[in-house]
Amino acid sequence: MQKYNPFLKMPNIFRKFYLLFYVTGFFWIQPVMAQSPSEKLAQADFLYNQHRYTQALQIYEQLLSQKRIYSPQMLLKMAYIHEGLQQYTQSMHYLQLYYSKHPSRSVLRKMEEVGLQQHLSGYEYTDWNFFKTQFYKYYTQILELLLVMAVISITLLLVNWSKKKPISPEIKLMVLAYLAFVFYFANFLSLDQQGIIRNSNVPIMAAPSAGAGLVATVSLGHKVNILGEQDIWYRIEWEDQTAYIRKNNLLLLPQPLGDKNLF
């Protein structure tokens, strides 16, 4: 039995209109579906310049969450929009993401300014924080240089040893100390992991247990240093003491290491 096809039962004029609509729609929708990240970014920037901030933010966040790519200016715009919406946790998060790739004193001061205005702790500006971020920005290059120097030092020692030239104990000690430093630099030197409290009325506990003593109840937006983790808890530094917070109450901040794609 021949399968019923409603298209064949259409009058000729309607069939023509249907085909025209289908073909036109197909070629119109293809560029939209195949829109590149750069084109999406340009569209979002256009919306931003037209002060259609929430629409621009939707595209920015889609690019960041799905494509994991961004431009530096995009991050600053996202931070600005969230600040205008009084969503300071998200605003600080995007400022920190920008700062992790493009350390600048002005961004540190901006975060400190917003923190002071909103009575948020953890955003105090210090030259030491700026230095640490700059240092870790070039961590890989510094490590490569240290490893090259270590190889050169060992090679020279082996050459002298093969030629039976005397090597002073001081030189041996210096090389051993240098190798120990390189090992420490490569394996143990790290920038403090930080996070922003993402919920309201979050309990900070004295131990990793819901039945432990309550240290404080805090609002969202505060930034804390993470010292470690245990099960569903992060061990943090709060007001110069060690405390614990549930992991789902903390938004982890990016670190200078671990590059992401940029336009």
Side-chain angles (χ1 to χ4, degrees), residues 3 8 28 34-35 38 42 45 77 82 84 86 94 110-111 129 169 171 180 191 195 218 250 255 262-263:
K3 190 175 180 180
L8 297 176
W28 178 83
Q35 195 174 25
S38 297
D45 288 339
K77 290 173 182 177
H82 278 294
Q86 298 184 343
Y94 292 125
K110 174 62 179 178
M111 288 190 285
N129 287 337
I171 295 296
L191 191 65
V218 299
L250 212 57
Q255 294 179 289
L262 296 174
F263 289 112

Side-chain angles (χ1 to χ4, degrees), residues 21 42 48-49 102 123 127 150 159 175 188 195 225 245:
F21 174 78
Y48 181 91
N49 293 331
H102 303 276
Y123 298 100
D127 289 328
V159 169
V175 172
F188 299 104
N225 290 329
I245 185 173

